[in-house]
DNA sequence: ATGTCCACTAGGAGTGGA
């Protein structure tokens, strides 16, 4: 099963680009973030044409998450309990068939803006709520996956400029300890599992030619349970799809893709 | 070089968020 996470930065603006990617990469399951569209306006027809069913948790203007799947998909829940006022940021579904299924959650975690902003302590609270929620169903022997845009740079290696940004937004110990506490529930960062020392990024600012200057951050993750790690065949950050394609503008995030063996 | 892009409201450009 080929699974992926991708912050698309506006589903409607990106729809033709997403179509190119799906046709080229042929993923089975995709967690999408930053849809910026309501469920009513979600373009199910486009995805159905390509063989995908979508379960969605959207809202007007901001946030919004969805799971696309061309294998059987069953919606489980939407929204992080107690945090629904902070935007449509979580959707969970079971994907695949018996014996090959994954408990699949995709997340658009709060940005926090900067460490002086009111959103920063709120971001930390959101992560505390996420840990408490995820603790309820993560089991080593089950295939559980949390993926998405975490808006945290977990270690210095994951930043293009840790020296300058250490202690600022995405790079604080307060955020990093939250990230570790999620991992410590029994999850692995699948990219790091196979690439322990490689510096690679999943997001580059649109401004200032950041992509071409290799000024990025790794903030998009596939986090898998022990059972997922046992099934893991390959992981890739699909940076080719951070580039313009046929005159179409890319998201500021690249997809992250993993291939899993059958259970 | 905070240099771009998205969605919204408004009314065909400006604002807020990332």
């Amino acid at each position: 099963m080929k699974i992926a996470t991708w912050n698309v930065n506006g589903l409607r603006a990106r729809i033709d680009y997403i179509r190119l990617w799906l046709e080229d990469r042929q993923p089975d399951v995709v967690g999408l973030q930053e849809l910026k569209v309501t469920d009513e306006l979600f373009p199910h027809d486009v995805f159905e044409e390509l063989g995908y069913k979508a379960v969605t948790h959207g809202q007007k203007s901001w946030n919004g998450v969805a799971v696309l799947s061309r294998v059987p998909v069953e919606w489980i829940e939407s929204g992080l309990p107690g945090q629904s006022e902070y935007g449509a940021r979580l959707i969970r579904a079971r994907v695949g068939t018996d014996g090959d299924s994954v408990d699949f959650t995709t997340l658009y975690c709060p940005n926090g803006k900067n460490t002086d902003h009111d959103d920063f302590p709120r971001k930390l609270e959101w992560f505390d709520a996420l840990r408490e929620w995820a603790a309820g169903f993560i089991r080593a022997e089950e295939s559980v996956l949390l993926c998405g845009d975490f808006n945290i740079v977990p270690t210095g290696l994951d930043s293009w400029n840790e020296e300058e940004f250490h202690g600022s937004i995405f790079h604080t110990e307060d955020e990093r300890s939250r990230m570790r506490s999620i991992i410590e529930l029994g999850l692995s960062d699948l990219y790091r599992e196979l690439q322990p020392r490689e510096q690679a990024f999943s997001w580059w600012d649109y401004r200032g030619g950041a992509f071409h200057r290799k000024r990025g951050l790794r903030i998009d993750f596939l986090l898998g349970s022990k059972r997922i790690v046992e099934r893991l065949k390959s992981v890739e950050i699909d940076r080719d799809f951070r580039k313009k394609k046929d005159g179409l503008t890319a998201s500021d995030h690249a997809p992250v893709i993993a291939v899993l063996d059958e259970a």
Side-chain angles (χ1 to χ4, degrees), chain A residues 105-253:
Chain A
T105 297
T106 197
L107 304 163
Y108 177 52
C109 304
N111 177 291
K113 298 193 176 69
N114 62 66
T115 56
D116 299 326
H117 198 281
D118 288 347
D119 280 9
F120 185 67
R122 210 172 168 199
K123 175 181 188 176
L124 301 180
E125 281 172 32
W126 191 91
F127 274 96
D128 290 338
L130 177 65
R131 186 200 62 237
E132 197 160 320
W133 174 78
F137 62 91
I138 292 174
R139 304 282 179 270
E141 66 278 10
E142 308 217 347
S143 292
V144 181
L145 188 101
L146 264 55
C147 68
D149 174 1
F150 283 71
N151 276 319
I152 295 177
V153 175
T155 72
L157 181 60
D158 301 306
S159 177
W160 72 275
N161 195 349
E162 172 70 10
E163 282 184 23
E164 184 178 339
F165 297 139
H166 185 80
S168 64
I169 194 71
F170 299 5
H171 300 67
T172 67
E173 183 51 29
D174 282 336
E175 292 161 297
R176 287 173 172 173
S177 66
R178 262 71 178 189
M179 188 77 191
R180 287 195 299 270
S181 76
I182 304 294
I183 301 274
E184 283 164 8
L185 296 172
L187 299 172
S188 295
D189 174 347
L190 298 188
Y191 180 80
R192 276 282 166 259
E193 197 64 36
L194 297 187
Q195 297 289 350
R197 276 178 282 278
E198 187 82 10
Q199 182 168 63
F201 307 132
S202 65
W203 172 87
W204 297 259
D205 201 306
Y206 281 123
R207 296 168 289 193
F211 181 73
H212 294 289
R213 297 164 85 169
K214 306 186 190 308
R215 296 182 168 185
L217 305 174
R218 195 171 71 93
I219 56 177
D220 299 271
F221 305 99
L222 298 163
L223 305 182
S225 63
K226 183 159 177 286
R227 187 77 197 95
I228 292 277
V229 174
E230 290 165 357
R231 295 171 62 180
L232 182 62
K233 298 302 290 178
S234 64
V235 186
E236 137 191 50
I237 300 178
D238 197 359
R239 67 186 297 287
D240 188 48
F241 278 85
R242 176 59 178 77
K243 302 172 183 172
K244 262 197 161 66
K245 297 277 178 192
D246 301 351
L248 299 170
T249 302
S251 171
D252 44 356
H253 296 252

